[in-house]
Amino acid sequence: MTDEIIPSLHDYAEPALDRAFAAVLDEARRQAENAHFDKEAFRLRWLGRKQGRLKMIGDAWLKSAPDEARKLIGQRFNSLKEQIEGYLEDGAQAVQNLETALDITLPGARQRVGIEHPLIKTMHEVVAVFQRMGYSVGVGPEVETDFYNFESLNFPPNHPARDTQDTLVVAGQEQKPLRERLLMRTHTSPVQIRAMEKHAPPLRIVIPGKVHRNDAADATHSPIFHQVEGLCVDTNITFSDLKGTLDHAMKALFGSSVKTRFYPSFFPFTEPSADVQISCIFCNGRGCRKCKHSGWIELLGCGMVDPAVFGFVGYDPKKYSGFAFGMGVDRIAMMKYGISDIGLLYSGDMRFLEQFA
Ligand code: DAH
């Protein structure tokens, strides 16, 4: 410490004294703020009775000072000492704070690793099955117009088929023409129309997404759920192509022993239409509570694209044919993972979600 330079003082005018004392104070402050602050070393260095820097600077400066400057130096010296004593405490406090913040003896906080939500995981699996068959992937808006959600899919205004999809509409649009009014899409089928408007045939696309219906929530219903839609349009597409594609997809999703059967159904945008059933994955088709003792579980809707739909998008129905299908992702996820209440998929309950980690 003794070999440290003692700043020299030549000018005893007050501003010069102020500057000299400020420089010393600054030096002490920087040392007090050092990350490796050591209270005892700082105290010895600055405030040590015999070898302390403060004492040495004071002695040196007073010794050489003319009488009239002594008082000025003394006053400044006292205040400098007070401030350095303050730094001693501040520095000690800062170190203590840092030590509490970084107590390396505490056990570590476990970092939770995120996982894909079971619903999203299932949706990706379904999409991947079709991607491997050469399908591209598209998405569309969740707030749709009446035209895309219904009219262009061959649900005319006031047609009773609209009643099968209890619709949540955006309020206050009565002054708009019906086809422009906004609603929450009730299915992913409107994106078929948007895709065909954008792309000329041939077309093979799957469309995953969220849909909304005004359904009361219970163990198997949720006002928000998820679908994957599919559309394939080309020359010479037949019902056999539809059957082969969906049979393959169901086997890829549920295992190669699963069987499919096609049951006549109705959708305005397909003709003919069918519901697809798979052999019950819980009892292998023998009959159980899950399949209501029928051996079959209904899983999706499908059909050959109605020529009227091609009319809405400017595809030539004499030249092209196609099939479409739509399936509920939540149902598939519930079956795959043995989930009995759809609400669990939307609750964000960690006790449920952790089981998929
Ligand atoms: N959009 C239908 C629904 O939500 C499901 C559906 C059925 C989609 C047949 C299709 C289809 O593309 O061809 O109930």
Side-chain angles (χ1 to χ4, degrees):
M1 256 171 266
T2 41
D3 54 9
E4 276 190 80
I5 301 160
I6 304 291
S8 49
L9 201 58
H10 306 292
D11 186 348
Y12 297 96
E14 288 201 44
L17 289 178
D18 285 340
R19 254 179 279 123
F21 275 94
V24 176
L25 186 65
D26 195 48
E27 185 189 330
R29 183 185 52 77
R30 269 185 278 117
Q31 290 175 8
E33 285 173 0
N34 190 295
H36 303 292
F37 178 81
D38 175 336
K39 186 175 182 182
E40 192 45 27
F42 183 88
R43 200 188 58 72
L44 266 177
R45 180 196 197 93
W46 286 96
L47 303 165
R49 255 176 233 281
K50 290 189 183 142
Q51 301 272 300
R53 196 154 165 72
L54 212 51
K55 163 102 170 58
M56 290 170 57
I57 292 172
D59 286 352
W61 287 0
L62 277 171
K63 207 181 328 158
S64 58
D67 286 348
E68 59 282 10
R70 282 172 190 271
K71 193 172 162 208
L72 298 177
I73 293 176
Q75 285 166 345
R76 284 169 177 74
F77 192 80
N78 288 339
S79 124
L80 175 67
K81 186 166 176 235
E82 260 176 45
Q83 294 188 72
I84 290 182
E85 283 165 354
Y87 287 162
L88 181 69
E89 291 314 314
D90 291 350
Q93 187 62 49
V95 168
Q96 204 185 7
N97 290 347
L98 201 65
E99 279 171 356
T100 355
L102 290 178
D103 185 348
I104 57 165
T105 65
L106 285 173
R110 186 186 289 272
Q111 291 289 321
R112 287 167 177 274
V113 179
I115 50 138
E116 239 177 0
H117 190 279
L119 188 55
I120 300 302
K121 187 173 169 189
T122 306
M123 191 147 84
H124 286 158
E125 279 170 21
V126 175
V127 166
V129 166
F130 289 96
Q131 279 182 303
R132 288 196 287 272
M133 288 191 270
Y135 281 66
S136 53
V137 184
V139 288
E142 273 173 58
V143 180
E144 260 301 3
T145 60
D146 186 277
F147 175 78
Y148 282 108
N149 197 77
F150 290 123
E151 195 179 331
S152 62
L153 287 162
N154 208 24
F155 292 79
N158 301 317
H159 193 281
R162 289 183 175 223
D163 295 349
T164 60
Q165 304 195 355
D166 230 338
T167 310
L168 292 159
V169 300
V170 176
Q173 306 181 85
E174 292 74 12
Q175 71 290 359
K176 283 193 199 167
L178 178 66
R179 50 163 48 195
E180 286 171 28
R181 291 186 202 164
L182 298 174
L183 46 79
M184 301 309 290
R185 71 176 178 196
T186 56
H187 51 177
T188 42
S189 305
V191 193
Q192 283 187 27
I193 304 292
R194 293 183 175 276
M196 288 190 279
E197 281 180 343
K198 254 214 214 116
H199 306 283
L203 187 61
R204 271 180 295 182
I205 187 170
V206 273
I207 300 139
K210 196 181 282 177
V211 301
H212 305 253
R213 290 192 197 176
N214 189 15
D215 285 335
D218 62 24
T220 55
H221 293 87
S222 159
I224 296 177
F225 57 104
H226 294 75
Q227 292 185 332
V228 172
E229 187 84 16
L231 173 71
C232 167
V233 183
D234 206 336
T235 50
N236 299 317
I237 296 291
T238 67
F239 202 92
S240 310
D241 297 314
L242 170 59
K243 285 184 80 174
T245 302
L246 291 181
D247 186 73
H248 169 80
M250 293 303 113
K251 285 179 162 63
L253 285 172
F254 293 103
S256 55
S257 62
V258 157
K259 295 189 190 62
T260 52
R261 73 178 187 185
F262 291 69
Y263 233 68
S265 184
F266 172 78
F267 300 101
F269 40 94
T270 44
E271 181 59 36
S273 305
D275 284 330
V276 182
Q277 303 177 348
I278 64 168
S279 52
C280 181
I281 58 166
F282 303 104
C283 62
N284 284 324
R286 277 188 295 275
C288 65
R289 252 183 51 217
K290 296 257 195 229
C291 59
K292 299 196 184 95
H293 303 284
S294 70
W296 296 92
I297 292 182
E298 192 174 301
L299 214 53
L300 66 149
C302 66
M304 301 306 292
V305 180
D306 193 305
V309 171
F310 284 151
F312 278 103
V313 295
Y315 278 20
D316 180 355
K318 288 199 203 68
K319 194 164 161 203
Y320 296 104
S321 56
F323 63 75
F325 55 87
M327 63 188 96
V329 180
D330 307 64
R331 279 265 332 274
I332 296 176
M334 288 167 77
M335 282 177 61
K336 275 180 93 84
Y337 296 114
I339 299 164
S340 53
D341 185 344
I342 192 172
L344 287 167
L345 294 173
Y346 297 94
S347 67
D349 187 334
M350 288 303 289
R351 291 168 303 178
F352 169 73
L353 294 172
E354 267 167 356
Q355 299 176 54
F356 301 92

